Amino acid sequence: MLARLRSFWDEPGPADAPRRVWRDWVLVGGFALVVVLEVMLRPGLPYRWYAGIVALLVIPTLLIRRTRPLLAVGLAFGACGLAPLATGLDLGLNAFVFVLFLGYALSRWGSGRQTILGAGIIVAKLAFSLLLGHSGPNDTIGGVGVLFAVTALGAAVRYRVRARNREFDQVKLLERERLARDLHDTVAHHVSAMIIRAQAGLATAPFNPDAATDALRLIESEATRALAEMRGIVRVLRTDEPAELAPTPGLSDLHNLAAPHRVGPSVDVDIRGDVADLPAPIGTALFRLAQESVTNARRHARNATRIEVRVVADDAAVRLRVTDDGETAPARTSHAGGFGLVGMRERAGLVGGTCEAGPGPIRGWTVTAVLPRA
């Protein structure tokens, strides 16, 4: 138990806490307006202007609730707990409901120690108000329940986002592993060719100057060492998985996606432009992106009859566009925004390109990718 508490105490806060945005200013302005209206229009409110001034002074803590949640909770709940000492009565403004945003932010964006200390401040404020008679037992119990629900919601969102980010990272790492394999196969092909040429040169060395023999020996030695190191790297990447013996696919294999299937929409492949000297990693990335797009369309495009794969190459880049004529359903939108698109974006980004997906202008789904020739 103590170990778990210690672990939670040392837990850092999320590193991607957003700073102030325009919505925060709108939130502050909206609550300030609510305070002014309640002070002016609510009947029977004791010490209305005093309560209004305290509320207006505390509301700006909403601006720092994500970046400094403990400070925001300390200032807000400290002021709400000490201000009634001057009047002997609870401030009584309904507008103080904005402190729920601070409780949510504490568990959503605070570190472990900030969350524990902030929760202690909240409990101390509620207990202090109960002991001094500023609030009754029912109000205190209700306040504890509401604040607990809000902080629990913040913690649930926090850990759900963390779990999803972890899944995204796993998808990206898997795509990096796949790219490493493709690069290994490509480089291994060229290195193997170097070894063969070096060995051929050694075979004819008796008829050539000694310098050629030395150069060929150096080529063979360096190429063999590089190939061994590359295989060692990929052997580590391929843990618990057998090596793929099939050749690495490239742009020339794109027409295989149009092979007839028993079920599902037909696929039409069109390649335009000069792709003869396209680097192998770029060709492989294009094939993988098109393959994933076609697979997703066959699985998830409702009532689709046709999938079009278009590749257009120019002097600077190669553009891929995959479209289908299926229905644009919410399920397709959710899937495309999931891990499949994350892996495709990672694959395109690793070779210096971009990849996007979304509903088509009329119907269906569209995947576009732009990869540099270099």
Side-chain angles (χ1 to χ4, degrees), residues 169-188:
D169 291 339
Q170 290 176 352
V171 172
K172 292 179 179 180
L173 289 174
L174 177 61
E175 196 60 38
R176 287 176 179 269
E177 177 185 341
R178 291 173 178 170
L179 181 60
R181 296 178 184 179
D182 294 338
L183 290 175
H184 163 267
D185 295 338
T186 300
V187 175

Side-chain angles (χ1 to χ4, degrees), residues 81-98:
L82 297 177
L85 294 178
T87 61
L89 297 174
D90 185 60
L91 298 180
L93 279 180
N94 295 327
F96 275 106
V97 71
F98 72 84

Side-chain angles (χ1 to χ4, degrees), residues 27-76:
L27 188 65
V28 170
F31 273 112
L33 179 61
V34 170
V35 169
V36 173
L37 292 177
E38 185 175 3
V39 168
M40 295 178 61
L41 302 178
R42 180 180 168 185
L45 181 65
Y47 303 102
R48 61 179 64 243
W49 292 110
Y50 176 72
I53 292 174
V54 173
L56 292 176
L57 291 176
V58 173
I59 285 176
T61 56
L62 291 171
L63 298 175
I64 60 172
R65 69 185 188 279
R66 290 188 293 264
T67 55
R68 307 188 70 179
L70 179 60
L71 178 62
V73 167
L75 292 175

Side-chain angles (χ1 to χ4, degrees), residues 269-291:
V269 178
D270 182 24
I271 301 176
R272 301 179 183 180
D274 182 17
V275 294
D277 59 343
L278 198 65
I282 302 299
T284 300
L286 286 169
F287 176 82
R288 297 297 190 193
L289 295 174
Q291 183 184 45

Side-chain angles (χ1 to χ4, degrees), residues 295-373:
T295 301
N296 288 340
R298 281 192 169 128
R299 290 178 178 174
H300 304 283
R302 295 195 304 178
N303 301 325
T305 60
R306 182 182 178 84
I307 303 172
E308 295 184 355
V309 180
R310 297 288 180 264
V311 176
V312 179
D314 56 30
D315 295 337
V318 184
R319 291 168 175 80
L320 169 69
R321 180 182 176 89
V322 182
T323 59
D324 64 75
D325 59 354
E327 297 178 4
T328 305
R332 290 216 49 199
T333 304
S334 175
H335 175 80
F339 301 138
L341 182 56
V342 172
M344 294 168 67
R345 286 174 175 168
E346 184 73 7
R347 163 75 66 156
L350 290 173
V351 295
T354 59
C355 179
E356 298 295 336
I362 300 177
R363 58 181 295 150
W365 198 261
T366 301
V367 177
T368 58
V370 180
L371 305 183
R373 295 186 69 101

Side-chain angles (χ1 to χ4, degrees), residues 183-238:
L183 290 175
H184 163 267
D185 295 338
T186 300
V187 175
H189 169 75
H190 293 294
V191 173
S192 298
M194 291 171 56
I195 296 175
I196 294 173
R197 296 183 67 177
Q199 291 172 343
L202 288 174
T204 58
F207 310 101
N208 294 317
D210 295 339
T213 303
D214 296 336
L216 291 173
R217 284 200 180 96
L218 180 61
I219 293 174
E220 182 186 21
S221 174
E222 292 299 325
T224 304
R225 183 182 305 171
L227 184 60
E229 292 176 353
M230 289 283 298
R231 286 174 175 166
I233 293 173
V234 176
R235 191 178 300 113
V236 174
L237 292 175
R238 288 173 172 169

